[in-house]
Amino acid sequence: MSEFQTYHALAGQGDDPQNPNFHVQQTPSQYHPSPSSPPQGYQQSPGIAAFPPQQHPYDGTPASAYSNNASSQGQSYFPQQGPGPIADQGQGAMGGLTAQMGGLGIGGDPAGSVRAHRKKDRHAYHHIGAPEGSSQAFNGIPQAGFGTVSQYLNADTPQPGPPSPYLGQSVTPVMSQFPAPGGVAMSPMGQPAQQGFGIPNPSIPATGGSAQGRVDPEQIPSVPKSRDIPAHYYLDHLYPTMEQHLPPPAAISFIAHDQGNSSPKFARLTLNSIPSTAESLHSTGLPLGLIVQPLAALQPGETEIPVLDFGESGPPRCRRCRTYINPFMTFRSGGNKLVCNMCTFPNEVSSEYFAPTDPSGVRVDRAQRPELTMGTVDFMVPKEYWSKDPVGLKWLFLVDVSQEAVNRGFLEAFCEGIIAALYSEDDLLGVNNEKEGEEESKPQRALPPGSKVGIITFDKEVHFYNLSPHLDKAQMLVMTDINEPFVPLSEGLFVDPYESETVIKSLLTQLPTLFSQVKNAEPALLSGLDAALSALSSTGGKIVCSLSALPTWGPGRLFLRDHGANHDTDGGRKLFTTEHPAWLKTASKMVECGVGVDFFLAAASGGFLDNATVGNNPGHVSSLSGGETFFYPNFHVTRDTPKMVEEIKHTVRRETGYQCLMKVRCSNGLQVSAYHGNFLQHTFGADLEFGAIDADKAFAVMFSYDGKLDPKLDAHFQAALLYTTSSGERRVRCCNIVASVTEKTFETMKYIDQDAVVSIIAKEAAAKMPDRTLKEIRAVITEKTIDILAGYRKNFSGDHPPGQLVLPENLKEFSMYMLGLVKSRAFKGGQEPTDRRVHDMRLLKSIGPLEMSLYLYPRIIPIHNLDPSDGFANEAGHLRVPPTLRASFARIEEGGAYIVDNGQQCILWLHAQVSPNLLEDLFGPGQDSLRNLDPYLSSLPVLETHLNAQVRNLLQYLKTIRGSKAMTLQLARQGLDGAEYEFARLLVEDRNNEAQSYVDWLVHIHRHIQLELTGQRRKDDTSEGGLSGLVHMRPPYW
C-alpha cells in the first residue's frame, strides 16, 4: 500500500491537538451569524453550538430569593436541595469517558492482572499486538466496601494525548489511487490508536430483572457527551473530507470542506476502510452500505455545489461502466487517456476536454476544474438525458374542504400555510440571495423564476380554479364526474404566484367561509389525486395535499380497518399494507409522470386515516412518489397551526427536484445488493425512480462482494441523481465517495461511521414491516446488536479477561441507538395506533442520519439552571449552548424545566414545583403557576427578561439542526398535560415502551456475548429479558 504522501491533502491552518503533524483549517467566524446579545433587544439570529467549560447546575439559592429581573437570573430557578443526580458535564475532551461503564466493572489501572483466554485464530491479522487487559482484584466484581472498582480499559495500543477522535480525529487511511495536486505541501499523518472499553462480568439478574443498583448508570457510554464534545471541537475547525475520514456525528453542526470526497451531509459509508474479502467483513458483523442524501442542505460557510455545463456533448463518462468524471479518475499518455476509477478502463479524452499533464500525471488545469477537485457537483445535461422538456416546477395545492376540515379549523390553517409559503418575507433573504444594493421595493420570491402554482379543492366533488392575473377573483369549475376526472381548464390553472398574488390570496382567504355552508363529510381523495395527476402529467411537478378524514367516497374509498388488533401478529401486519389496488396504480403513474406528493394529514381526536394506504406504505402514493407525510394525530387548531404553517413553508422552499432517476456505481469486486428507502424500482438492478425528491430525503444502498478487493487500490462509490430543478434545468447531481481497502480487518474497526450503521439497520428493519411480525423485527435488531459487538469482542479486542464486554471506540453508543430503535413507535411492543406506527415506519425509511440520530435519542437541555452567558454569543461569536442531559428521569431535578427535542417535536416539560419566578420570566407577568399557562402554547412570548431571551435563542439554534419538521413548543406540565406521557416515552434510557432500561439492555447484550464467546449461545436462546418474545434469526438477517 502506498505511503500517505501519495494521497492529496489540502493544507489548512490550525493544529490538531492530538496529532501535531496534522493541520486543519479553522472556521472563519463570519460563517456564523452572531446570536443575540444580552438585553436590550433580543435578536434571534442562529449561531453554532458551544457549551461552557464548566456548568453549575446546583447553585442552590431558594426560589423565594428571586425577583423578576435579569440580574437575578444567573442563579438557579429552584429551591436549595441536598445532593441530587449529577448532570452531564463537559469534562474536557473525552477524559470523562475513562470512567464510563465502571458500574459494569470496567478495568482501569488494576491492582492485579488476569490473562484473557486466547482462542485460536487462523487469520494472522486478527491477532492484535496490544498489552494485556487487566482488572481489579476479585476479577472486577465489586465487593462490599470497594464501591466502583474499575474504569475503561483500552482495547488496543494506548497512545498519548486525549482519547477523543474529535480532539485529535482519526486521519484518513491510505488513499492510493489518485494524484496529489501540484504545489501542495504534504505532511505525514500517523495512524490513530483504536480504543475500546472493557466491561468485566457484572452480576446478571434473572430474566426480566433489573441491574439497577449493581451497575452505575453514570459510567456507561453517554450519547449526549458523544455529541457535545465534537460539537465544541467543530466550532473552530472545518471538517476536511479527505484529510480526516471519520465523519463528525450527524446530529451536530459542522462545516465540511470538500476536498474531492463528498461531504458526510450528502453521503456516509458505514465503513471507511473496507475489508478485502467477504469473509473478513462477515467476521465484523457489520453491514457494508452507503447512506445517500443527494440534495442535502448546506449551512452558511460551506461552498455552493458547482453547476458545470459541457454543452451538447455532456459530461465526460467512462465508455464501459458509464461513471461520470470525478476527482479519482487519472490521466495517462500525456492527458490523452482517462482511466476510470471504477472499472479501470482507459478512455480516450475528447479534444474539447483535453489538457496536458505535468510530470506527476496531474492535469495542468486541475485546480480550475471543479469536477476534478470536488466530491459533489452538478452537471447540466443535453437533450439525450431528457424524458420531457424541462420546465419550472409546478406546485399544485390539493385542498380538503370536507366538513371535518372546516369544523376543526384545518382548512383555514392549511390556507394560511400556503399564503405564508408563497408570500411571507420573514426569511426570504436566504432563499433569494439578493445582491446588496438592489431596490428594496422589488418583491422577494420564495419560488424561483419559472415556477408556477395551482389550486384544486375536493370533498365529494373536485373543484378547479382559474387563477389568471387578468381576473378580479378566481373562477371555480366543479368536476362532478369523479370516476374519470379531467382538467376543464386550458389556461389559468397554473400561474406565476407573484403575477396572480391578489387573486390567490383572495381565494385562499375566502375558502374557509365558502365551504362552511357546503358540508360534505366524506372526501373523495383518490379522485382529487387523479385530477391533480391529469393536470401535471405532461410536465411533472409536486402535489401538496391536505386530508382531515378517512376518504370514504368515490373510487378507491377506504374503510375503517384498525380495530385495535395486535400488530405483533400476522393479522395485525396486514394493516401496514394497502387495501385497494387503485392506490397502487395511481402511485405508479405518478412516478412515471414525474409527480411527487406531500401529505398533511390531521386526524381529529386521534381518528383513523388509513395512513398505510394514503401516505406511507411502500408502493403507495406518498412513499412511492418520493414525497413526505406530515401527520398531526390529534390536531388542535390553536396549538398545531403554527407548526403546520412552518412545515408547509419548509416543504415549498426547500430544494426540490422532480422526474428523478438514481444510479449507484461501485468499484470492481463490489456490487449493489439492495436498496432501502422510498422509491420505485421495477426490477432489481434497474435505476431507482422518484416522482420527486427533496433536501430531506435519504436512502440506503447495500453492497456485497463479487470478488476480492485489491488492497493496493481504493474502493470508490458514485451516486448519480438525474433530476429537473425547480427552476427548470435538467441536471445530474454526482456524489463521489472513496474508502481504503485493507487486509487487516482490525483497521476496519477504526473507521466505522456509527450514524451510517444505525441508519442502515433502521431502514432495513422498516422495509421488512409488511413482511415480518414486529416481534421478529425486534428480535433481529437485538441479534444484530449482539453479533456486531460479539464479533469485535471475539476477533479484534486484544487480550482482555474473558468476562469483559469490550466496545469499539466508534460504536460505544451503538447499543443505546439500537435500544432506541426497539423502543421507537414503528417497532415497539404493546398497543400503538396503526396510523402512528406506519407513519414512523415511513419516516425511518426516508430520513437522513441527522433526523435518525435525534429520533432515536432526543436532546434534552435544562433551562432552570442556565449560566447567565448561556444562550448568548461568546467572544468568538458562537452561541453558548449548555451541555445536554441523558434521557433518563434520574437526571430530572425537582423544580426543573427542560427542553426535549427529538427532531419531530419539541416538548417544554415543567416540574410541578417549578419556581413561580421562572414561569413569570419565561411566560410573562401573572404567569406564576402551571395552571395559569395556556396548554396550547406553541411558542414563547418575546419578553424583556434574561431567561426569556436565553431560551428563545436556544430554540432558534435548535431550528438549524433538524430535518423537515418545524420547531414549535408543546407544553408538558407535570400532572396536568397529556404530553407528559410523550415526555416519558422520550426518556429512552429508562424502562418504558415495552422494553428494558439502558443498563438492563447492556447487561442483556453482555450476557449473550458471553454465551457467544463460550460457544453456548444457542439459536433458540434469545430471551429478551424484558423485550417480549425474541425469535432468533441468524445471518442473513432478513
Side-chain angles (χ1 to χ4, degrees):
M1 188 175 292
S2 59
E3 299 296 329
F4 281 109
Q5 289 86 341
T6 63
Y7 101 87
H8 91 112
L10 301 182
Q13 303 297 323
D15 293 339
D16 184 320
Q18 182 172 357
N19 187 346
N21 293 321
F22 174 51
H23 301 277
V24 294
Q25 289 182 319
Q26 293 194 356
T27 306
S29 60
Q30 62 266 28
Y31 288 165
H32 310 297
S34 300
S36 331
S37 55
Q40 306 273 339
Y42 311 106
Q43 278 125 15
Q44 299 185 42
S45 300
I48 302 300
F51 54 85
Q54 291 185 348
Q55 178 76 6
H56 304 285
Y58 297 102
D59 285 336
T61 305
S64 59
Y66 291 101
S67 61
N68 188 18
N69 57 53
S71 63
S72 66
Q73 299 195 23
Q75 304 171 357
S76 296
Y77 272 102
F78 67 123
Q80 186 172 6
Q81 302 176 23
I86 299 175
D88 284 288
Q89 308 293 322
Q91 303 173 2
M94 291 181 75
L97 292 180
T98 58
Q100 289 184 4
M101 299 183 75
L104 286 177
I106 303 172
D109 260 347
S113 175
V114 179
R115 182 178 177 84
H117 174 67
R118 188 189 300 275
K119 298 182 71 173
K120 292 183 178 179
D121 197 323
R122 65 178 62 183
H123 298 291
Y125 54 78
H126 284 177
H127 174 69
I128 308 301
E132 294 181 353
S134 52
S135 65
Q136 300 278 358
F138 314 111
N139 198 23
I141 300 176
Q143 303 293 321
F146 280 82
T148 301
V149 298
S150 55
Q151 294 181 341
Y152 278 117
L153 276 179
N154 288 342
D156 314 300
T157 305
Q159 178 174 340
S164 167
Y166 299 101
L167 296 182
Q169 191 183 17
S170 301
V171 176
T172 311
V174 174
M175 301 295 173
S176 58
Q177 195 173 342
F178 53 92
V184 177
M186 297 295 164
S187 60
M189 291 168 281
Q191 293 283 357
Q194 173 67 11
Q195 296 186 354
F197 301 95
I199 308 172
N201 190 11
S203 303
I204 303 297
T207 300
S210 174
Q212 302 283 356
R214 301 182 184 88
V215 176
D216 182 4
E218 194 74 39
Q219 305 301 322
I220 56 183
S222 168
V223 172
K225 284 183 180 178
S226 73
R227 293 171 177 172
D228 287 347
I229 292 170
H232 187 245
Y233 175 79
Y234 282 107
L235 283 176
D236 301 308
H237 297 82
L238 299 176
Y239 170 70
T241 60
M242 286 303 304
E243 294 172 11
Q244 294 173 231
H245 218 54
L246 185 61
I252 72 167
S253 174
F254 65 93
I255 292 179
H257 175 39
D258 190 337
Q259 297 177 317
N261 202 29
S262 280
S263 165
K265 296 174 182 178
F266 296 108
R268 282 177 176 262
L269 272 173
T270 56
L271 307 175
N272 291 290
S273 183
I274 299 175
S276 58
T277 64
E279 292 76 14
S280 299
L281 177 66
H282 180 73
S283 69
T284 68
L286 291 163
L288 176 56
L290 179 68
I291 299 292
V292 183
Q293 192 171 345
L295 299 182
L298 299 172
Q299 73 180 56
E302 292 186 314
T303 305
E304 292 294 324
I305 304 301
V307 180
L308 310 175
D309 190 353
F310 288 88
E312 290 300 319
S313 60
R317 303 180 66 179
C318 175
R319 288 194 294 112
R320 177 192 286 174
C321 67
R322 306 302 293 160
T323 297
Y324 290 87
I325 183 74
N326 62 75
F328 308 108
M329 287 187 174
T330 55
F331 292 85
R332 295 179 183 172
S333 302
N336 289 291
K337 295 287 187 180
L338 175 65
V339 181
C340 177
N341 58 311
M342 297 289 180
C343 66
T344 68
F345 181 75
N347 297 270
E348 293 289 339
V349 177
S350 65
S351 58
E352 297 84 2
Y353 192 64
F354 174 80
T357 58
D358 62 19
S360 64
V362 177
R363 279 177 63 120
V364 295
D365 65 345
R366 178 183 176 90
Q368 289 75 46
R369 291 281 187 181
E371 73 274 14
L372 299 180
T373 57
M374 298 188 67
T376 304
V377 295
D378 268 352
F379 295 114
M380 300 283 289
V381 291
K383 290 185 177 181
E384 62 189 83
Y385 292 79
W386 299 2
S387 55
K388 54 187 72 173
D389 289 343
V391 296
L393 180 59
K394 292 183 176 179
W395 292 89
L396 185 54
F397 295 98
L398 185 60
V399 186
D400 177 9
V401 293
S402 62
Q403 180 178 344
E404 188 72 18
V406 174
N407 293 346
R408 294 285 179 177
F410 184 61
L411 172 58
E412 185 176 359
F414 191 72
C415 292
E416 181 182 339
I418 297 174
I419 294 174
L422 297 178
Y423 306 114
S424 174
E425 297 184 358
D426 56 352
D427 55 354
L428 284 179
L429 293 178
V431 176
N432 295 280
N433 293 321
E434 292 190 328
K435 297 180 180 179
E436 295 183 5
E438 289 186 341
E439 296 182 4
E440 295 182 0
S441 60
K442 183 179 179 179
Q444 295 177 324
R445 299 179 62 101
L447 300 180
S451 295
K452 296 185 177 182
V453 300
I455 298 173
I456 296 177
T457 58
F458 69 96
D459 46 20
K460 285 187 176 181
E461 300 168 332
V462 181
H463 321 107
F464 293 82
Y465 296 89
N466 186 343
L467 304 175
S468 173
H470 307 297
L471 300 174
D472 294 331
K473 61 180 180 179
Q475 295 177 344
M476 177 194 287
L477 289 84
V478 180
M479 174 63 60
T480 56
D481 182 7
I482 61 175
N483 291 309
E484 295 182 359
F486 61 91
V487 181
L489 290 170
S490 58
E491 60 181 20
L493 178 60
F494 291 102
V495 296
D496 185 297
Y498 305 101
E499 294 178 359
S500 301
E501 179 176 351
T502 303
V503 177
I504 293 174
K505 282 185 174 180
S506 174
L507 172 63
L508 293 173
T509 304
Q510 294 174 10
L511 280 180
T513 304
L514 179 64
F515 286 95
S516 61
Q517 307 300 323
V518 184
K519 296 186 177 179
N520 291 319
E522 300 175 286
L525 175 61
L526 187 61
S527 298
L529 288 172
D530 287 338
L533 178 59
S534 298
L536 292 170
S537 59
S538 61
T539 61
K542 190 70 178 284
I543 300 172
V544 180
C545 177
S546 66
L547 181 67
S548 62
L550 188 68
T552 56
W553 188 263
R557 59 184 178 272
L558 305 176
F559 304 95
L560 183 64
R561 294 192 294 161
D562 189 355
H563 301 287
N566 186 351
H567 296 153
D568 272 336
T569 64
D570 290 337
R573 196 172 69 230
K574 294 178 181 178
L575 293 174
F576 302 149
T577 58
T578 184
E579 66 172 17
H580 203 295
W583 292 90
L584 179 60
K585 179 180 178 181
T586 297
S588 299
K589 189 173 180 182
M590 283 185 173
V591 178
E592 179 184 337
C593 296
V595 177
V597 188
D598 285 347
F599 278 105
F600 288 80
L601 308 180
S605 304
F608 180 68
L609 283 179
D610 206 345
N611 226 340
T613 302
V614 175
N616 296 280
N617 201 64
H620 308 111
V621 194
S622 178
S623 60
L624 191 70
S625 66
E628 182 168 4
T629 301
F630 296 85
F631 186 42
Y632 309 90
N634 221 341
F635 183 81
H636 188 280
V637 63
T638 305
R639 179 192 64 211
D640 294 326
T641 294
K643 181 177 176 64
M644 187 166 72
V645 167
E646 288 299 316
E647 288 173 348
I648 295 174
K649 285 172 61 176
H650 179 76
T651 295
V652 173
R653 296 182 179 185
R654 64 188 171 187
E655 184 174 4
T656 302
Y658 67 105
Q659 297 180 22
C660 310
L661 292 174
M662 169 67 80
K663 181 74 172 180
V664 177
R665 298 176 174 89
C666 54
S667 294
N668 286 341
L670 296 173
Q671 60 185 359
V672 174
S673 60
Y675 293 97
H676 301 294
N678 292 325
F679 49 77
L680 175 65
Q681 187 179 28
H682 292 290
T683 59
F684 181 74
D687 294 348
L688 306 185
E689 298 181 36
F690 305 84
I693 192 170
D694 57 64
D696 297 310
K697 298 299 175 294
F699 60 93
V701 190
M702 303 291 292
F703 301 99
S704 60
Y705 289 77
D706 63 359
K708 182 178 179 180
L709 298 178
D710 186 351
K712 295 180 181 179
L713 300 176
D714 302 323
H716 297 272
F717 305 86
Q718 184 181 82
L721 173 71
L722 175 64
Y723 71 109
T724 304
T725 67
S726 55
S727 59
E729 294 180 345
R730 194 69 169 159
R731 299 180 183 175
V732 171
R733 169 67 58 89
C734 280
C735 300
N736 300 284
I737 306 94
V738 63
S740 64
V741 178
T742 180
E743 291 181 326
K744 299 178 180 179
T745 313
F746 178 70
E747 292 295 314
T748 297
M749 309 304 294
K750 297 181 181 180
Y751 300 101
I752 301 171
D753 187 335
Q754 180 172 257
D755 289 301
V757 173
V758 169
S759 293
I760 288 278
I761 294 175
K763 291 180 185 296
E764 194 172 8
K768 298 302 176 183
M769 279 185 66
D771 306 319
R772 299 290 179 89
T773 65
L774 297 177
K775 185 187 298 183
E776 291 174 335
I777 293 175
R778 290 194 300 271
V780 171
I781 294 171
T782 306
E783 287 300 300
K784 185 66 172 173
T785 305
I786 294 169
D787 284 342
I788 290 174
L789 297 180
Y792 178 80
R793 178 65 182 91
K794 185 162 53 175
N795 299 314
F796 311 112
S797 62
D799 298 330
H800 288 293
Q804 286 186 333
L805 169 63
V806 183
L807 303 177
E809 168 66 23
N810 297 322
L811 289 177
K812 292 194 307 296
E813 299 80 29
F814 175 69
S815 297
M816 182 63 249
Y817 283 117
M818 290 297 97
L819 178 60
L821 188 60
V822 169
K823 290 185 175 185
S824 68
R825 273 207 169 91
F827 305 125
K828 67 183 287 288
Q831 293 296 316
E832 187 70 29
T834 303
D835 279 343
R836 304 198 73 172
R837 195 183 289 276
V838 175
H839 170 74
D840 280 37
M841 174 195 74
R842 186 231 175 245
L843 186 75
L844 289 173
K845 291 178 60 182
S846 66
I847 58 179
L850 186 155
E851 270 192 278
M852 183 74 73
S853 180
L854 292 177
Y855 176 83
L856 298 179
Y857 196 99
R859 49 193 172 195
I860 302 178
I861 299 177
I863 60 173
H864 58 280
N865 55 8
L866 292 175
D867 187 274
S869 60
D870 287 340
F872 297 110
N874 61 15
E875 296 80 5
H878 303 312
L879 190 76
R880 290 173 59 97
V881 178
T884 53
L885 297 184
R886 302 181 73 141
S888 171
F889 198 80
R891 309 298 170 131
I892 302 303
E893 300 166 0
E894 185 176 350
Y898 299 87
I899 295 172
V900 185
D901 175 29
N902 74 338
Q904 308 301 311
Q905 59 182 337
C906 183
I907 294 175
L908 176 58
W909 185 84
L910 301 171
H911 191 274
Q913 298 180 24
V914 68
S915 165
N917 291 329
L918 182 146
L919 296 179
E920 288 199 342
D921 284 347
L922 202 55
F923 300 104
Q927 307 292 330
D928 57 357
S929 73
L930 293 182
R931 292 188 178 275
N932 289 345
L933 300 179
D934 180 4
Y936 301 117
L937 184 79
S938 61
S939 62
L940 292 178
V942 179
L943 304 176
E944 294 291 321
T945 64
H946 193 84
L947 178 68
N948 183 272
Q950 286 179 298
V951 176
R952 285 189 292 107
N953 281 347
L954 291 174
L955 292 175
Q956 188 71 20
Y957 161 71
L958 294 180
K959 287 183 180 180
T960 66
I961 311 177
R962 61 193 299 109
S964 60
K965 305 304 186 292
M967 165 68 78
T968 57
L969 287 179
Q970 181 167 357
L971 213 55
R973 301 167 295 173
Q974 188 180 29
L976 295 177
D977 295 320
E980 191 179 8
Y981 291 101
E982 186 67 15
F983 168 73
R985 190 186 72 82
L986 294 178
L987 299 178
V988 289
E989 290 197 16
D990 293 338
R991 188 180 184 88
N992 53 24
N993 295 295
E994 307 290 328
Q996 302 153 300
S997 69
Y998 185 19
V999 171
D1000 290 341
W1001 172 257
L1002 277 179
V1003 172
H1004 171 71
I1005 297 296
H1006 186 194
R1007 174 172 175 263
H1008 283 274
I1009 291 175
Q1010 288 292 94
L1011 294 176
E1012 178 74 19
L1013 293 176
T1014 58
Q1016 300 177 34
R1017 184 180 171 207
R1018 295 181 290 114
K1019 289 187 177 182
D1020 58 348
D1021 185 14
T1022 54
S1023 168
E1024 284 184 284
L1027 300 175
S1028 55
L1030 262 174
V1031 177
H1032 187 86
M1033 300 176 68
R1034 300 295 292 178
Y1037 290 92
W1038 306 111

